[in-house]
Amino acid sequence: MPHSLILNLTPKSPIYPQFLSGRHLHALFLTLVSSVDKELGTYLHDSKADKAFTLSPLQITKNSPIPKGNRGSVLKSHHQEAISTGTPCWWRISLLDDALFSKLTQLWLNLNPEQPWHLGSADLYITSIQGTPQSTQPWANACSYTQLYEQASDSERIISINFATPTAWRQGKYDSTLPTRESLFKSLLSRWNKYSKIEFSELNFDAIFPSFINIHTEIVPDSRSKFIGIVGEVTYRIMGDIEATQIKQINTLSNFALYSGIGRKTTMGMGMGRRVRN
């Protein structure tokens, strides 16, 4: 059962930009895991395979409400200035595997809002965790794989995807930022088939065509390299005579994007996306 969890955080001291990179947030997640299961934390650290979690960049909490299902927005993928002491922040963690979620249950249940966690040189508190949709937070949710499939439409032909943090796909030795139907949906299909136990074995993407594109590229600097990805929105249409089962599977994958992440470096804050509607 995939979960999209929002951790609400308050820094006890300033968080400087060099400690807000994907690598530092990845290390913080492994610290959280190791606090309840050290062997699991070590395994996730050492594993080179596709990992059953994704992370967002750290976001500063806005006061204005976000209507559920709104047109997507771009999140802050990197910070050039320090986040001040006491600034409310949020951080999204998605988990794709039931075993991983269950092993972390003790962390969520025994959360101590007075316990500081370290992000670089800064200390911060986890004040609360959201796991269900909120009017002010569209990134929180949970839904079983069976429900994702059963609730997906077998007739809806318009699919709009919000690429909220820079997204790119690996093609051979290099990255591509072009959101083709193959790059997007094959990325989602691979993770769906790996974790859902409801395999889509004969899904064809030839009937999917982009009909609206509003994207630009962003560069995310890191001490080791630079990551270039797209942010914005792309709408795809399912065209022609296509079986209802195929439409249902494509809609399932589109709804699954909220949890799975898209493309590369999803455990470092990249490829964070979700389906949006008018």
Side-chain angles (χ1 to χ4, degrees):
M1 177 171 178
H3 294 262
S4 183
L5 305 169
I6 299 297
L7 277 63
N8 294 303
L9 311 166
T10 303
K12 184 182 178 183
S13 54
I15 310 175
Y16 296 103
Q18 64 265 36
F19 301 123
L20 289 164
S21 71
R23 288 188 299 109
H24 285 90
L25 289 163
H26 186 100
L28 174 59
F29 174 73
L30 295 180
T31 299
L32 293 173
V33 173
S34 295
S35 71
V36 290
D37 191 326
K38 191 168 184 178
E39 287 186 6
L40 178 60
T42 301
Y43 169 77
L44 292 175
H45 178 271
D46 295 339
S47 174
K48 302 298 182 184
D50 185 60
K51 298 176 182 178
F53 68 92
T54 78
L55 305 174
S56 79
L58 194 64
Q59 304 295 305
I60 295 174
T61 302
K62 307 295 184 183
N63 292 324
S64 55
I66 306 172
K68 183 181 178 183
N70 71 311
R71 305 310 292 184
S73 58
V74 173
L75 300 177
K76 199 170 186 66
S77 57
H78 64 283
H79 297 262
Q80 295 179 328
E81 298 179 355
I83 297 178
S84 303
T85 302
T87 302
C89 300
W90 63 269
W91 183 37
R92 199 284 291 268
I93 297 173
S94 77
L95 305 171
L96 304 179
D97 185 272
D98 280 336
L100 181 56
F101 179 80
S102 64
K103 287 183 177 180
L104 296 177
T105 300
Q106 291 305 310
L107 176 64
W108 320 133
L109 293 179
N110 299 318
L111 184 67
N112 180 2
E114 300 299 322
Q115 177 184 350
W117 299 90
H118 306 296
L119 183 57
S121 63
D123 287 343
L124 47 81
Y125 297 120
I126 302 174
T127 56
S128 64
I129 296 177
Q130 297 169 237
T132 54
Q134 310 285 328
S135 62
T136 56
Q137 183 47 267
W139 292 99
N141 214 331
C143 186
S144 72
Y145 287 105
T146 301
Q147 288 174 316
L148 276 171
Y149 180 70
E150 290 178 347
Q151 293 172 5
S153 171
D154 62 3
S155 60
E156 190 171 3
R157 289 175 173 258
I158 298 176
I159 295 165
S160 296
I161 300 294
N162 166 221
F163 299 93
T165 64
T167 304
W169 297 265
R170 198 67 165 181
Q171 292 191 353
K173 295 181 179 179
Y174 306 102
D175 285 353
S176 171
T177 59
L178 195 63
T180 65
R181 61 193 179 193
E182 290 83 5
S183 58
L184 171 63
F185 289 98
K186 283 185 178 179
S187 169
L188 297 172
L189 178 62
S190 174
R191 289 171 193 170
W192 173 268
N193 283 345
K194 180 171 183 177
Y195 296 110
S196 72
K197 297 182 175 63
I198 308 173
E199 185 173 354
F200 299 162
S201 58
E202 298 181 3
L203 185 53
N204 191 314
F205 304 127
D206 290 348
I208 303 173
F209 293 87
S211 61
F212 170 82
I213 300 173
N214 181 18
I215 58 174
H216 64 272
T217 54
E218 279 193 6
I219 300 175
V220 180
D222 192 6
S223 60
R224 299 176 180 175
S225 62
K226 293 180 179 179
F227 181 83
I228 303 173
I230 61 158
V231 293
E233 184 179 326
V234 179
T235 296
Y236 303 84
R237 287 180 179 265
I238 303 172
M239 309 293 285
D241 186 15
I242 179 172
E243 293 181 359
T245 299
Q246 294 261 308
I247 295 176
K248 188 178 186 69
Q249 291 178 350
I250 293 168
N251 276 295
T252 301
L253 296 180
S254 304
N255 298 336
F256 177 54
L258 170 70
Y259 306 97
S260 71
I262 301 167
R264 297 195 63 225
K265 291 186 177 287
T266 55
T267 62
M268 298 284 183
M270 302 301 100
M272 189 174 172
R274 66 186 179 97
R275 187 176 190 168
V276 291
R277 292 180 170 87
N278 286 324

